[in-house]
Amino acid sequence: SFKTTLLGLIFKDWVPWLKMYRIYIIAYSSTTPIITKWLQTPNIKELLSKATQNSKDLDLNSFLIMPVQRVPRYRMLFRELLSKTPDFHVEYSYLTSTLLEIEDLARDLNSNQIQAERKSKMIEIAHKIANAEQINILEPHRQFIREGNLVIQYSDDRESLSNIFVFSDIILLGINQPQKDNMVN
């Protein structure tokens, strides 16, 4: 007798466990620059060179990105499986529902990563602003949206370059103070 393994059904029960990648993905983008700098240390280079001799030409960064790539790879796998499965096959509905759950998870993970990057950017801006204690930038409800440069033209034809920071509920206009290590007033 022929036994059918319903991959979609098995995997559907496993998809909720992939939510644990959220923490790793959020931390990954903020720690990568730190790790990259750390990897330039001679002792660390030597240690990693010895440790990765048998790793088939993969360096530490290649291993660190793997969890970030896992959910998108599962999404590609299930799209491919679904495209090769006839719609009358018993597995088709399970593959479809599993793919939908994986796509929802991928959107959720992307959204969480974007939110984490925006919060990190707000902290960076708060450190840049000279009078940050007067303007409480770090509010729980506030979201960073965009920053850019703004040229202000005065009536006497003078111009000044300013920074503009757009948040969900306020817009900050900063005047550059070059003498203070990239501080903005």
Side-chain angles (χ1 to χ4, degrees), residues 20-32:
M20 69 182 164
Y21 287 110
R22 176 181 295 123
I23 296 166
Y24 185 89
I25 290 169
I26 288 170
Y28 178 81
S29 61
S30 62
T31 58
T32 300

Side-chain angles (χ1 to χ4, degrees), residues 99-153:
L99 176 59
L100 290 173
E101 283 192 35
I102 291 171
E103 287 175 340
D104 285 346
L105 176 63
R107 276 190 295 278
D108 185 48
L109 292 174
N110 285 338
S111 174
N112 282 295
Q113 183 177 6
I114 289 167
Q115 287 177 2
E117 288 169 359
R118 286 181 177 173
K119 286 183 193 305
S120 178
K121 186 66 175 176
M122 286 177 62
I123 293 168
E124 178 187 322
I125 291 167
H127 288 295
K128 276 185 176 180
I129 295 178
N131 298 327
E133 65 280 351
Q134 294 173 357
I135 308 163
N136 193 3
I137 293 170
L138 302 175
E139 292 286 343
H141 68 277
R142 186 166 293 142
Q143 294 287 316
F144 169 77
I145 297 174
R146 188 179 177 120
E147 79 174 296
N149 294 319
L150 179 68
V151 177
I152 299 175
Q153 178 128 25

Side-chain angles (χ1 to χ4, degrees), residues 8-21 70 74 98 101 105:
L9 184 60
I10 292 168
F11 205 90
K12 186 174 173 40
D13 292 337
W14 197 63
V15 170
W17 290 96
L18 293 175
K19 291 178 182 178
M20 69 182 164
Y21 287 110
R70 183 139 308 135
Y74 283 137
T98 301
E101 283 192 35
L105 176 63

Side-chain angles (χ1 to χ4, degrees), residues 30 55 90 98 106 184:
S30 62
S55 65
V90 66
T98 301
V184 177

Side-chain angles (χ1 to χ4, degrees), residues 34-52:
I34 297 165
I35 292 171
T36 301
K37 186 176 179 181
W38 181 66
L39 291 175
Q40 302 309 313
T41 310
N43 292 343
I44 300 298
K45 275 185 174 181
E46 182 182 343
L47 178 68
L48 284 175
S49 176
K50 290 177 184 175
T52 58

